[in-house]
Amino acid sequence: MEDDIEELELVDAERNWRGEEPFQVGQRWRLTSHQFRRSLGLYGHASGLVSLPSLKRQLQHITHEMSLYYARGSQFARDFIGGLRAGVKHFGEEWQESEPEAEYLGHLINVEMGDPAELSGGYALWYDRAVRLRQVSLDRATTLNEFRQGKRRYRETFAGGCAKVGLCDKRPDDPMNLECLLNDCKNLVIQLPKFERIIRIQMQTVIELESAAPDLPETQIEKDILTRLQERKRKILSSKAATAEQPTGPV
């Protein structure tokens, strides 16, 4: 029970847990149905197995701010996955351990072995230049070790991937990464076939909105996003065409 109080104090240090009658050490604590929802949000987010948008859908929250509130303090929660040592390793622990290898393979397939003609975005362009200048190691064992040490990251997205090390500071409820796509994030990898699919999805959304509610402000917002996505694609293709026309060596 003392361990439980200490964990509560870590999760929410501003609350006087020891001063509240229901949480006295040595007494039986009450259990309410709402605690299951908070526990799901807290430990699910702490596990690394559940994304914030998934929690939002599971808990049926209207805003992602409420999901953030439920997950607040999760970094201090007890590691219930790694703490289960009953002779069998929890699948979540295996998933956490294999995550660096999975990210490395994603980077290998989508960036290192990807078709340069289909790649764009801040990170993809930087990586291509760094390879040509021999500023990054191409040794697979070295690269995998950097992923295991947390020096490199790669997470696949709807448009391609994200190479940001650490927590993403973009909107967690934006699965298509529109903010990154439209503002050319330095950690962004764009795979043109995926990007074109996003444009087709956005185009279908606009068609449906214009048919059902052409005068709504939301319709104009979605149309503006489509226009910006199409302009982004034109700039990418124009940049690639200009690069292809440049001489590669002395004449």
Side-chain angles (χ1 to χ4, degrees), residues 103-121:
E103 291 190 2
Y104 162 69
L105 288 174
H107 185 275
L108 175 66
I109 295 171
N110 297 303
V111 180
E112 298 179 41
M113 298 174 61
D115 184 353
E118 294 183 348
L119 291 177
S120 186

Side-chain angles (χ1 to χ4, degrees), residues 5-59:
I5 278 286
E6 291 177 356
E7 183 178 5
L8 289 174
E9 289 174 335
L10 284 173
V11 170
D12 189 350
E14 297 180 1
R15 183 169 174 177
N16 182 20
W17 294 99
R18 296 180 186 272
E20 296 186 25
E21 185 176 350
F23 301 103
Q24 295 301 304
V25 175
Q27 296 182 8
R28 180 175 297 175
W29 294 2
R30 68 186 182 187
L31 180 65
T32 65
S33 59
H34 185 264
Q35 288 174 261
F36 291 107
R37 286 175 58 82
R38 181 68 199 279
S39 295
L40 173 63
L42 183 75
Y43 291 109
H45 194 255
S47 71
L49 302 173
V50 184
S51 67
L52 195 63
S54 295
L55 280 178
K56 180 174 177 290
R57 289 192 296 269
Q58 179 67 33
L59 298 174

Side-chain angles (χ1 to χ4, degrees), residues 32 98 175 227:
T32 65
S98 65
T227 299

Side-chain angles (χ1 to χ4, degrees), residues 127-175:
Y127 186 82
D128 179 63
R129 183 169 59 251
V131 168
R132 287 188 280 107
L133 296 176
R134 299 183 179 180
Q135 295 175 338
V136 293
S137 173
L138 296 180
D139 179 72
R140 293 191 176 185
T142 300
T143 305
L144 175 57
N145 193 46
E146 290 177 348
F147 273 88
R148 286 171 173 164
Q149 293 176 348
K151 296 179 181 179
R152 304 269 296 271
R153 295 294 306 273
Y154 184 80
R155 296 176 291 281
E156 293 194 42
T157 66
F158 281 94
C162 173
K164 181 177 176 60
V165 175
L167 295 176
C168 182
D169 55 358
K170 305 303 180 185
R171 288 172 50 193
D173 59 343
D174 181 12

Side-chain angles (χ1 to χ4, degrees), residues 203-236:
M203 189 177 298
Q204 184 61 38
T205 298
V206 169
I207 291 173
E208 293 176 357
L209 283 172
E210 285 186 324
S211 175
D215 298 327
L216 281 182
E218 288 82 356
T219 302
Q220 186 59 49
I221 291 173
E222 297 297 340
K223 288 174 65 176
D224 291 343
I225 291 175
L226 175 60
T227 299
R228 294 177 66 190
L229 287 171
Q230 291 171 327
E231 178 61 26
R232 183 84 171 88
K233 178 185 173 182
R234 282 193 291 269
K235 287 183 178 180
I236 291 173

Side-chain angles (χ1 to χ4, degrees), residues 47-89:
S47 71
L49 302 173
V50 184
S51 67
L52 195 63
S54 295
L55 280 178
K56 180 174 177 290
R57 289 192 296 269
Q58 179 67 33
L59 298 174
Q60 297 183 348
H61 288 152
I62 297 176
T63 65
H64 76 273
E65 285 82 5
M66 180 57 70
S67 299
L68 281 171
Y69 172 78
Y70 268 64
R72 187 180 64 182
S74 59
Q75 66 269 34
F76 302 112
R78 181 177 300 160
D79 183 8
F80 73 96
I81 290 178
L84 296 177
R85 304 287 185 181
V88 179
K89 182 178 289 188

